[in-house]
Amino acid sequence: MGAPPGYRPSAWVHLLHQLPRADFQLRPVPSGFAPQEQEYQQALLLVVALAGLGLGLSLVFIAIYLIRFCCCRPPEPPGTKSPQPGAGCVTWSCVAALLVGCAGIGIGFYGNSETSDGVSQLSSALLHANHTLSATDHLVSETVERLGEAVRAELTTLEEVLAQRVELVAAARGARRQAEAVAQQFQGLAFWRGVPLSPLQVAEEVSFVEEYRWLAYVLLLLLELLVYLFTLLGLAKQSKWLVMVMTVMSLLVLVLSWGSMGLEAAAAVGLSDFCSNPDTYILNLTQEETGLSPDILNYYFLCNQAVSSPFQQRLTLSQRALTNIHSQLQGLEREAAPQFPSAQKPLSSLEETLNVTEGNFHQLVALLHCRGLHKDYGAALRGLCEDALEGLLFLLLFSLLSAGALAAALCSLPRAWALFPPSDDYDDTDDDDPFNPQESKRFVQWQSSI
């Protein structure tokens, strides 16, 4: 099948599409996009499970490292208050890990924005396609209604006025048959009427899901940023309680990072499979959901010289019928108007209806051409397979950097906390403060001496 204008699968699509896939029994699974098949669903779930395995291994590594640190370090001499050697290295390694995590947050914001832009482009294309289909349906309904009114009113009146001339009544009846034929042909042009699948509904559902996805990632990014900033503040202030709280929060964010990584990886793999050959899947899905004929779907999905318009015959017959009506009305105006003055008003009304119908006909020809809907299809694919996929890859990089930075920080924070100098709850109090215990003791001694 032909690719939409301006869309070509990117190198990332080819690379991700070529990755091997397997189900839960580790049997190979074809990389064709088939979300309805159980084996393919298991292959994507296995990608998510790999992220869970990475989370488990990182937690085991952190636990082993901390157990070794707590149980195998040499005892400190009593009364030692000087910082141990390597304290600065531990602190700065933790700071470096947190700064890498902050850089990852910037990448995450960019990836979240790119993904949102791609989905917005998809929604815009669906809305534009819905506008084209709705305009076609509206023009057909308006034209058929106008022609029906002309047949019921003006042509009936004209036949009554011209009842004395048999040849003129025959011409009016011929115009009636041609108008009914045009209305019948026009009704077959509203091919989307009665179809249960609405592009507007799909666009609204996509926008609804994307709104919550975007918000969830913004909250995750802000949470990680706050954890990094408060951790850096705790290291700068050498506050043990703040570092301890941020250690627990870092563990929570580490779990969230690995979870988001699994979802992003599965979404990227599935999207690459779809984008490698989207025409086949979309064509089959649309035919299944709408029940439209393959000729109509192939015309709009391919839109090339090899596929002729399925509406060409109806349009040709409608154009011929409109030309015949126009000729018959001109003949009636020449022959009947001088002899029957009362026929002038229905003839003028019929001429106006014919002009409006011809204008609607030309608009329908433009709307029914495959270029418009095929362009919307290409825009939707570019938004989904270029911007959205690129955003997912940046989000995947963010999750990877975040998981690595948090793992390094979780290994360094307990060591940095242990190397902090002994804290005194009253270190920061003023010596001249009467509520200072040392100052209160001196005051008691001074009173006893008096």
Side-chain angles (χ1 to χ4, degrees):
M1 300 184 72
Y7 169 73
R8 293 293 183 274
S10 63
W12 284 111
V13 170
H14 290 297
L15 179 62
L16 293 174
H17 183 62
Q18 293 174 357
L19 294 177
R21 288 148 179 78
D23 58 10
F24 290 162
Q25 286 76 33
L26 300 182
R27 293 175 299 189
V29 174
S31 57
F33 187 67
Q36 70 280 0
E37 296 183 2
Q38 184 178 3
E39 291 78 7
Y40 188 81
Q41 296 174 4
Q42 291 180 0
L44 294 182
L45 289 176
L46 190 61
V47 175
V48 179
L50 291 177
L53 179 62
L55 172 62
L57 292 177
S58 63
L59 291 177
V60 169
F61 172 77
I62 294 171
I64 293 175
Y65 181 85
L66 294 180
I67 291 173
R68 180 177 177 275
F69 166 72
C70 295
C71 300
C72 301
R73 60 175 179 172
E76 298 180 3
T80 302
K81 293 187 178 181
S82 60
Q84 298 180 3
C89 181
V90 172
T91 302
W92 282 110
S93 63
C94 184
V95 171
L98 295 175
L99 291 178
V100 170
C102 291
I105 290 177
I107 296 175
F109 273 109
Y110 176 77
N112 196 36
S113 176
E114 281 292 302
T115 304
S116 181
D117 290 343
V119 177
S120 298
Q121 189 172 349
L122 169 64
S123 300
S124 299
L126 289 172
L127 292 175
H128 191 270
N130 183 78
H131 174 73
T132 300
L133 297 173
S134 301
T136 302
D137 190 14
H138 175 71
L139 277 177
V140 169
S141 300
E142 179 185 357
T143 305
V144 171
E145 183 179 357
R146 185 180 290 272
L147 287 174
E149 181 66 24
V151 169
R152 290 189 301 270
E154 284 84 2
L155 285 173
T156 301
T157 303
L158 192 62
E159 291 178 10
E160 294 174 354
V161 171
L162 304 176
Q164 299 177 3
R165 297 283 300 272
V166 178
E167 68 278 10
L168 296 181
V169 172
R173 289 178 179 175
R176 174 193 290 270
R177 288 192 297 270
Q178 295 294 333
E180 292 174 348
V182 171
Q184 183 179 3
Q185 296 297 332
F186 266 46
Q187 287 179 349
L189 297 178
F191 65 95
W192 203 264
R193 181 182 299 172
V195 173
L197 180 64
S198 171
L200 176 61
Q201 182 180 359
V202 176
E204 290 177 349
E205 292 177 355
V206 168
S207 300
F208 177 79
V209 174
E210 171 58 21
E211 181 179 357
Y212 282 94
R213 186 212 63 82
W214 178 86
L215 180 60
Y217 265 100
V218 168
L219 294 178
L220 176 61
L221 292 166
L222 292 178
L223 175 62
E224 291 202 17
L225 182 61
L226 291 177
V227 169
Y228 293 151
L229 293 179
F230 278 105
T231 303
L232 291 173
L233 179 63
L235 291 175
K237 294 290 187 178
Q238 294 188 347
S239 174
K240 289 187 176 183
W241 71 268
L242 185 57
V243 171
M244 291 175 62
V245 172
M246 289 302 107
T247 301
V248 177
M249 293 298 299
S250 298
L251 183 61
L252 172 62
V253 176
L254 177 66
V255 176
L256 295 177
S257 297
W258 278 104
S260 64
M261 188 188 305
L263 295 177
E264 293 151 7
V269 170
L271 192 56
S272 68
D273 293 339
F274 168 78
C275 295
S276 63
N277 186 20
D279 295 343
T280 303
Y281 177 78
I282 292 294
L283 180 61
N284 295 334
L285 179 63
T286 307
Q287 185 173 0
E288 179 182 352
E289 294 291 334
T290 62
L292 295 175
S293 66
D295 295 337
I296 295 178
L297 296 178
N298 285 327
Y299 173 67
Y300 285 109
F301 279 99
L302 294 178
C303 194
N304 53 34
Q305 299 296 330
V307 181
S308 60
S309 172
F311 311 107
Q312 187 60 46
Q313 184 178 2
R314 289 183 178 274
L315 293 174
T316 301
L317 293 176
S318 299
Q319 188 175 21
R320 290 176 182 175
L322 289 173
T323 303
N324 293 335
I325 295 174
H326 191 72
S327 301
Q328 291 169 348
L329 290 180
Q330 286 182 343
L332 287 173
E333 192 171 1
R334 287 194 306 269
E335 298 292 335
Q339 302 180 20
F340 303 94
S342 58
Q344 184 63 45
K345 183 177 180 180
L347 284 174
S348 300
S349 179
L350 286 172
E351 192 69 30
E352 181 182 355
T353 300
L354 182 62
N355 292 334
V356 174
T357 302
E358 288 179 343
N360 291 345
F361 173 78
H362 292 299
Q363 292 185 43
L364 281 173
V365 171
L367 289 173
L368 290 172
H369 198 278
C370 64
R371 284 192 301 265
L373 290 177
H374 194 64
K375 184 178 179 180
D376 295 333
Y377 176 53
L381 285 183
R382 287 192 300 273
L384 193 62
C385 299
E386 293 179 4
D387 293 341
L389 181 59
E390 180 185 355
L392 279 176
L393 294 176
F394 275 105
L395 288 175
L396 187 61
L397 178 60
F398 146 71
S399 298
L400 184 62
L401 291 176
S402 176
L406 289 169
L410 285 171
C411 291
S412 303
L413 284 176
R415 294 189 61 188
W417 176 82
L419 294 173
F420 286 168
S423 61
D424 188 352
D425 294 338
Y426 308 101
D427 282 346
D428 296 333
T429 56
D430 189 0
D431 290 340
D432 295 332
D433 187 359
F435 297 99
N436 188 334
Q438 297 294 332
E439 188 65 24
S440 300
K441 185 178 180 180
R442 296 192 192 99
F443 180 74
V444 172
Q445 293 176 353
W446 176 74
Q447 278 188 334
S448 60
S449 64
I450 294 176

PDB file of all heavy atoms in Angstrom, residues 87-111:
ATOM      1  N   ALA A  87      35.058  11.368  52.955  1.00  0.00           N
ATOM      2  CA  ALA A  87      33.729  11.939  53.167  1.00  0.00           C
ATOM      3  C   ALA A  87      33.355  12.883  52.035  1.00  0.00           C
ATOM      4  O   ALA A  87      32.224  12.875  51.546  1.00  0.00           O
ATOM      5  CB  ALA A  87      33.685  12.661  54.505  1.00  0.00           C
ATOM      6  N   GLY A  88      34.285  13.701  51.607  1.00  0.00           N
ATOM      7  CA  GLY A  88      34.000  14.633  50.515  1.00  0.00           C
ATOM      8  C   GLY A  88      33.709  13.922  49.220  1.00  0.00           C
ATOM      9  O   GLY A  88      32.829  14.325  48.447  1.00  0.00           O
ATOM     10  N   CYS A  89      34.428  12.817  48.959  1.00  0.00           N
ATOM     11  CA  CYS A  89      34.196  12.053  47.724  1.00  0.00           C
ATOM     12  C   CYS A  89      32.793  11.468  47.701  1.00  0.00           C
ATOM     13  O   CYS A  89      32.108  11.490  46.671  1.00  0.00           O
ATOM     14  CB  CYS A  89      35.235  10.952  47.601  1.00  0.00           C
ATOM     15  SG  CYS A  89      35.074   9.954  46.104  1.00  0.00           S
ATOM     16  N   VAL A  90      32.344  10.946  48.831  1.00  0.00           N
ATOM     17  CA  VAL A  90      31.005  10.373  48.910  1.00  0.00           C
ATOM     18  C   VAL A  90      29.952  11.444  48.666  1.00  0.00           C
ATOM     19  O   VAL A  90      29.000  11.255  47.901  1.00  0.00           O
ATOM     20  CB  VAL A  90      30.792   9.691  50.273  1.00  0.00           C
ATOM     21  CG1 VAL A  90      29.345   9.274  50.433  1.00  0.00           C
ATOM     22  CG2 VAL A  90      31.700   8.497  50.420  1.00  0.00           C
ATOM     23  N   THR A  91      30.111  12.596  49.301  1.00  0.00           N
ATOM     24  CA  THR A  91      29.133  13.661  49.156  1.00  0.00           C
ATOM     25  C   THR A  91      29.070  14.159  47.728  1.00  0.00           C
ATOM     26  O   THR A  91      27.989  14.339  47.150  1.00  0.00           O
ATOM     27  CB  THR A  91      29.472  14.814  50.108  1.00  0.00           C
ATOM     28  OG1 THR A  91      29.508  14.325  51.451  1.00  0.00           O
ATOM     29  CG2 THR A  91      28.436  15.921  49.996  1.00  0.00           C
ATOM     30  N   TRP A  92      30.237  14.361  47.121  1.00  0.00           N
ATOM     31  CA  TRP A  92      30.247  14.905  45.766  1.00  0.00           C
ATOM     32  C   TRP A  92      29.768  13.877  44.737  1.00  0.00           C
ATOM     33  O   TRP A  92      29.186  14.254  43.717  1.00  0.00           O
ATOM     34  CB  TRP A  92      31.640  15.395  45.400  1.00  0.00           C
ATOM     35  CG  TRP A  92      31.955  16.720  46.022  1.00  0.00           C
ATOM     36  CD1 TRP A  92      32.846  16.978  47.014  1.00  0.00           C
ATOM     37  CD2 TRP A  92      31.347  17.972  45.693  1.00  0.00           C
ATOM     38  NE1 TRP A  92      32.839  18.311  47.341  1.00  0.00           N
ATOM     39  CE2 TRP A  92      31.922  18.947  46.535  1.00  0.00           C
ATOM     40  CE3 TRP A  92      30.374  18.366  44.783  1.00  0.00           C
ATOM     41  CZ2 TRP A  92      31.561  20.283  46.481  1.00  0.00           C
ATOM     42  CZ3 TRP A  92      30.003  19.705  44.722  1.00  0.00           C
ATOM     43  CH2 TRP A  92      30.600  20.643  45.577  1.00  0.00           C
ATOM     44  N   SER A  93      29.989  12.604  44.984  1.00  0.00           N
ATOM     45  CA  SER A  93      29.445  11.592  44.084  1.00  0.00           C
ATOM     46  C   SER A  93      27.920  11.585  44.152  1.00  0.00           C
ATOM     47  O   SER A  93      27.234  11.431  43.133  1.00  0.00           O
ATOM     48  CB  SER A  93      30.000  10.211  44.435  1.00  0.00           C
ATOM     49  OG  SER A  93      29.593   9.825  45.747  1.00  0.00           O
ATOM     50  N   CYS A  94      27.384  11.778  45.357  1.00  0.00           N
ATOM     51  CA  CYS A  94      25.929  11.871  45.499  1.00  0.00           C
ATOM     52  C   CYS A  94      25.393  13.111  44.806  1.00  0.00           C
ATOM     53  O   CYS A  94      24.361  13.063  44.123  1.00  0.00           O
ATOM     54  CB  CYS A  94      25.554  11.871  46.970  1.00  0.00           C
ATOM     55  SG  CYS A  94      23.776  11.862  47.290  1.00  0.00           S
ATOM     56  N   VAL A  95      26.093  14.220  44.960  1.00  0.00           N
ATOM     57  CA  VAL A  95      25.678  15.461  44.300  1.00  0.00           C
ATOM     58  C   VAL A  95      25.713  15.300  42.786  1.00  0.00           C
ATOM     59  O   VAL A  95      24.808  15.740  42.065  1.00  0.00           O
ATOM     60  CB  VAL A  95      26.564  16.624  44.754  1.00  0.00           C
ATOM     61  CG1 VAL A  95      26.302  17.872  43.914  1.00  0.00           C
ATOM     62  CG2 VAL A  95      26.332  16.931  46.230  1.00  0.00           C
ATOM     63  N   ALA A  96      26.772  14.639  42.276  1.00  0.00           N
ATOM     64  CA  ALA A  96      26.868  14.418  40.832  1.00  0.00           C
ATOM     65  C   ALA A  96      25.715  13.561  40.323  1.00  0.00           C
ATOM     66  O   ALA A  96      25.137  13.838  39.264  1.00  0.00           O
ATOM     67  CB  ALA A  96      28.209  13.762  40.496  1.00  0.00           C
ATOM     68  N   ALA A  97      25.348  12.523  41.065  1.00  0.00           N
ATOM     69  CA  ALA A  97      24.220  11.677  40.667  1.00  0.00           C
ATOM     70  C   ALA A  97      22.925  12.479  40.639  1.00  0.00           C
ATOM     71  O   ALA A  97      22.102  12.336  39.718  1.00  0.00           O
ATOM     72  CB  ALA A  97      24.099  10.483  41.607  1.00  0.00           C
ATOM     73  N   LEU A  98      22.742  13.342  41.634  1.00  0.00           N
ATOM     74  CA  LEU A  98      21.525  14.150  41.669  1.00  0.00           C
ATOM     75  C   LEU A  98      21.488  15.160  40.530  1.00  0.00           C
ATOM     76  O   LEU A  98      20.414  15.434  39.971  1.00  0.00           O
ATOM     77  CB  LEU A  98      21.423  14.865  43.014  1.00  0.00           C
ATOM     78  CG  LEU A  98      21.245  13.947  44.231  1.00  0.00           C
ATOM     79  CD1 LEU A  98      21.279  14.765  45.515  1.00  0.00           C
ATOM     80  CD2 LEU A  98      19.934  13.175  44.147  1.00  0.00           C
ATOM     81  N   LEU A  99      22.642  15.705  40.160  1.00  0.00           N
ATOM     82  CA  LEU A  99      22.681  16.634  39.038  1.00  0.00           C
ATOM     83  C   LEU A  99      22.373  15.922  37.720  1.00  0.00           C
ATOM     84  O   LEU A  99      21.705  16.484  36.843  1.00  0.00           O
ATOM     85  CB  LEU A  99      24.052  17.313  38.971  1.00  0.00           C
ATOM     86  CG  LEU A  99      24.358  18.286  40.117  1.00  0.00           C
ATOM     87  CD1 LEU A  99      25.756  18.854  39.960  1.00  0.00           C
ATOM     88  CD2 LEU A  99      23.326  19.414  40.161  1.00  0.00           C
ATOM     89  N   VAL A 100      22.838  14.687  37.579  1.00  0.00           N
ATOM     90  CA  VAL A 100      22.476  13.895  36.397  1.00  0.00           C
ATOM     91  C   VAL A 100      20.970  13.665  36.366  1.00  0.00           C
ATOM     92  O   VAL A 100      20.324  13.735  35.308  1.00  0.00           O
ATOM     93  CB  VAL A 100      23.248  12.560  36.383  1.00  0.00           C
ATOM     94  CG1 VAL A 100      22.711  11.630  35.305  1.00  0.00           C
ATOM     95  CG2 VAL A 100      24.730  12.804  36.174  1.00  0.00           C
ATOM     96  N   GLY A 101      20.383  13.398  37.532  1.00  0.00           N
ATOM     97  CA  GLY A 101      18.933  13.246  37.597  1.00  0.00           C
ATOM     98  C   GLY A 101      18.202  14.519  37.218  1.00  0.00           C
ATOM     99  O   GLY A 101      17.164  14.477  36.551  1.00  0.00           O
ATOM    100  N   CYS A 102      18.729  15.676  37.619  1.00  0.00           N
ATOM    101  CA  CYS A 102      18.107  16.948  37.234  1.00  0.00           C
ATOM    102  C   CYS A 102      18.173  17.154  35.724  1.00  0.00           C
ATOM    103  O   CYS A 102      17.213  17.650  35.115  1.00  0.00           O
ATOM    104  CB  CYS A 102      18.798  18.103  37.958  1.00  0.00           C
ATOM    105  SG  CYS A 102      18.498  18.140  39.750  1.00  0.00           S
ATOM    106  N   ALA A 103      19.312  16.773  35.119  1.00  0.00           N
ATOM    107  CA  ALA A 103      19.396  16.843  33.655  1.00  0.00           C
ATOM    108  C   ALA A 103      18.380  15.912  33.010  1.00  0.00           C
ATOM    109  O   ALA A 103      17.764  16.246  31.986  1.00  0.00           O
ATOM    110  CB  ALA A 103      20.815  16.494  33.198  1.00  0.00           C
ATOM    111  N   GLY A 104      18.192  14.737  33.597  1.00  0.00           N
ATOM    112  CA  GLY A 104      17.176  13.825  33.085  1.00  0.00           C
ATOM    113  C   GLY A 104      15.773  14.404  33.175  1.00  0.00           C
ATOM    114  O   GLY A 104      14.927  14.131  32.325  1.00  0.00           O
ATOM    115  N   ILE A 105      15.511  15.201  34.204  1.00  0.00           N
ATOM    116  CA  ILE A 105      14.193  15.837  34.326  1.00  0.00           C
ATOM    117  C   ILE A 105      13.954  16.803  33.167  1.00  0.00           C
ATOM    118  O   ILE A 105      12.850  16.876  32.617  1.00  0.00           O
ATOM    119  CB  ILE A 105      14.083  16.554  35.688  1.00  0.00           C
ATOM    120  CG1 ILE A 105      14.002  15.522  36.810  1.00  0.00           C
ATOM    121  CG2 ILE A 105      12.868  17.469  35.723  1.00  0.00           C
ATOM    122  CD1 ILE A 105      13.975  16.134  38.185  1.00  0.00           C
ATOM    123  N   GLY A 106      14.999  17.541  32.777  1.00  0.00           N
ATOM    124  CA  GLY A 106      14.865  18.413  31.614  1.00  0.00           C
ATOM    125  C   GLY A 106      14.531  17.623  30.354  1.00  0.00           C
ATOM    126  O   GLY A 106      13.676  18.025  29.556  1.00  0.00           O
ATOM    127  N   ILE A 107      15.200  16.478  30.185  1.00  0.00           N
ATOM    128  CA  ILE A 107      14.884  15.615  29.048  1.00  0.00           C
ATOM    129  C   ILE A 107      13.458  15.098  29.153  1.00  0.00           C
ATOM    130  O   ILE A 107      12.741  14.980  28.146  1.00  0.00           O
ATOM    131  CB  ILE A 107      15.902  14.454  28.991  1.00  0.00           C
ATOM    132  CG1 ILE A 107      17.304  14.994  28.723  1.00  0.00           C
ATOM    133  CG2 ILE A 107      15.506  13.430  27.935  1.00  0.00           C
ATOM    134  CD1 ILE A 107      18.385  13.934  28.772  1.00  0.00           C
ATOM    135  N   GLY A 108      13.026  14.791  30.368  1.00  0.00           N
ATOM    136  CA  GLY A 108      11.662  14.311  30.552  1.00  0.00           C
ATOM    137  C   GLY A 108      10.620  15.349  30.186  1.00  0.00           C
ATOM    138  O   GLY A 108       9.601  15.029  29.568  1.00  0.00           O
ATOM    139  N   PHE A 109      10.839  16.599  30.565  1.00  0.00           N
ATOM    140  CA  PHE A 109       9.897  17.651  30.195  1.00  0.00           C
ATOM    141  C   PHE A 109       9.825  17.804  28.675  1.00  0.00           C
ATOM    142  O   PHE A 109       8.737  17.982  28.105  1.00  0.00           O
ATOM    143  CB  PHE A 109      10.302  18.978  30.838  1.00  0.00           C
ATOM    144  CG  PHE A 109       9.746  19.173  32.216  1.00  0.00           C
ATOM    145  CD1 PHE A 109      10.575  19.121  33.331  1.00  0.00           C
ATOM    146  CD2 PHE A 109       8.403  19.399  32.404  1.00  0.00           C
ATOM    147  CE1 PHE A 109      10.074  19.295  34.606  1.00  0.00           C
ATOM    148  CE2 PHE A 109       7.875  19.576  33.674  1.00  0.00           C
ATOM    149  CZ  PHE A 109       8.713  19.522  34.780  1.00  0.00           C
ATOM    150  N   TYR A 110      10.978  17.718  28.012  1.00  0.00           N
ATOM    151  CA  TYR A 110      10.977  17.819  26.541  1.00  0.00           C
ATOM    152  C   TYR A 110      10.244  16.641  25.920  1.00  0.00           C
ATOM    153  O   TYR A 110       9.445  16.807  24.980  1.00  0.00           O
ATOM    154  CB  TYR A 110      12.419  17.887  26.034  1.00  0.00           C
ATOM    155  CG  TYR A 110      12.519  17.893  24.529  1.00  0.00           C
ATOM    156  CD1 TYR A 110      12.243  19.049  23.800  1.00  0.00           C
ATOM    157  CD2 TYR A 110      12.872  16.742  23.829  1.00  0.00           C
ATOM    158  CE1 TYR A 110      12.325  19.056  22.424  1.00  0.00           C
ATOM    159  CE2 TYR A 110      12.957  16.748  22.448  1.00  0.00           C
ATOM    160  CZ  TYR A 110      12.682  17.898  21.751  1.00  0.00           C
ATOM    161  OH  TYR A 110      12.759  17.901  20.376  1.00  0.00           O
ATOM    162  N   GLY A 111      10.526  15.419  26.413  1.00  0.00           N
ATOM    163  CA  GLY A 111       9.850  14.249  25.873  1.00  0.00           C
ATOM    164  C   GLY A 111       8.357  14.284  26.113  1.00  0.00           C
ATOM    165  O   GLY A 111       7.563  13.903  25.241  1.00  0.00           O
TER     166      GLY A 111
END
